[in-house]
Amino acid sequence: MIIAIDGPAASGKGTLARRIADYYHLALLDTGLTYRAVAYEMLQRGWPLDDEAHAIAAARQVDLGALDRETLSAHEIADAASKVAVIPEVRRILVEKQRAFARNPAGAVLDGRDIGTVVCPDADVKLYVTASAEVRAGRRLRDIESRGGRADFAEILADIVHRDERDMGRADSPLKPAADAHLLDTSEMGIEAAFLAAKAIVDDALAKRDKA
Ligand SMILES: Nc1ncnc2c1ncn2[C@@H]1O[C@H](COP(=O)(O)OP(=O)(O)OP(=O)(O)O)[C@@H](O)[C@H]1O
Ligand SMILES: Nc1ccn([C@@H]2O[C@H](COP(=O)(O)O)[C@@H](O)[C@H]2O)c(=O)n1
């Protein structure tokens, strides 16, 4: 079984993906980390983010087994990731690795921006998780503060809106719900309620599949 979870920044898709993968005993890949790994390498080396040759070389080096969430989750890497993610050849290389992961015989959950539309168009279940930009900014702020950091709500909101615009507006694999995705607006749902709503969708899809 493959479950595809897409959505804009800080919508809670990663949290949901983790819960679903644990519950159904599926392998999990946060594909955002693969773009972040390319951005991290570019920033570390001092290469401009629009240097396509170096970005492509960095994408080839990405090892799915060695993605360091702690290092890659830094807030400033997110914006850089969305800049390298507009380069078609970077996407092609990373999508190939993501598809290889999705072939895991035990089944897999992948979350990102183009999983239901490009990476796994035949996924058994597709979820498009969203929430208002203000709710998402509030969640991200609490996230940063709970780890001892400081941030400004207005700045986070502006970053989120700007990143969404870039992700939705790019020519190659823009963020959008797949035609057959189930929309899950979690603006007024806590983590547990969002998980239960997603689980109901997955269980329903599995029951239909088993009947067919
Ligand atoms: N339904 C929810 N209600 C309240 N808080 C939530 C909910 N879902 C996720 N969160 C919290 O919001 C923050 C962002 O969630 P998460 O990292 O899962 O988002 P994401 O969509 O994967 O973000 P990104 O695209 O930036 O990686 C986390 O602190 C998480 O605990
Ligand atoms: N399938 C994906 C996943 C991510 N991106 C780009 O990476 C940026 C960071 O992603 P996070 O989920 O870790 O926040 C994101 O803003 C996208 O630009 C992508 O293009 N496709």
Side-chain angles (χ1 to χ4, degrees):
M1 171 165 66
I2 295 178
I3 301 182
I5 305 184
D6 291 302
S11 56
K13 58 192 179 302
T15 303
L16 198 54
R18 211 157 30 247
R19 289 289 305 269
I20 290 177
D22 283 352
Y23 185 82
Y24 293 99
H25 306 292
L26 301 168
L28 172 65
L29 179 62
D30 173 352
T31 63
L33 292 180
T34 65
Y35 292 91
R36 285 173 183 256
V38 174
Y40 180 73
E41 182 69 8
M42 302 290 283
L43 293 171
Q44 287 290 102
R45 304 263 184 179
W47 292 326
L49 295 167
D50 60 356
D51 175 345
E52 297 203 1
H54 276 121
I56 290 165
R60 289 204 182 100
Q61 296 304 315
V62 169
D63 174 356
L64 298 192
L67 296 168
D68 178 0
R69 170 174 300 280
E70 194 61 25
T71 305
L72 298 176
S73 58
H75 190 54
E76 44 305 343
I77 298 179
D79 191 60
S82 82
K83 289 183 178 156
V84 298
V86 304
I87 303 172
E89 184 62 8
V90 165
R91 301 200 70 82
R92 197 192 60 72
I93 292 163
L94 296 181
V95 166
E96 207 171 285
K97 292 174 197 267
Q98 294 160 8
R99 284 185 179 145
F101 182 91
R103 287 194 287 273
N104 187 322
V109 180
L110 288 86
D111 78 275
R113 302 292 188 292
D114 59 345
I115 309 303
T117 52
V118 175
V119 180
C120 301
D122 298 325
D124 299 275
V125 187
K126 298 179 186 177
L127 297 171
Y128 188 87
V129 184
T130 187
S132 73
E134 289 74 14
V135 166
R136 290 186 280 130
R139 288 176 183 169
R140 179 69 10 109
L141 180 64
R142 279 193 293 280
D143 199 14
I144 293 170
E145 288 176 344
S146 73
R147 284 186 274 120
R150 284 174 63 110
D152 174 68
F153 177 82
E155 257 176 47
I156 293 182
L157 178 60
D159 281 356
I160 281 181
V161 169
H162 189 213
R163 187 146 66 100
D164 286 353
E165 281 171 0
R166 191 182 292 127
D167 288 346
M168 291 174 182
R170 68 178 170 232
D172 188 342
S173 316
L175 167 66
K176 62 178 178 188
D180 52 349
H182 299 268
L183 301 188
L184 195 58
D185 186 332
T186 69
S187 300
E188 301 199 358
M189 283 181 197
I191 291 176
E192 189 61 20
F195 167 68
L196 292 175
K199 178 182 165 317
I201 293 168
V202 175
D203 286 344
D204 188 49
L206 292 181
K208 283 188 181 133
R209 193 187 63 174
D210 292 345
K211 246 192 224 167

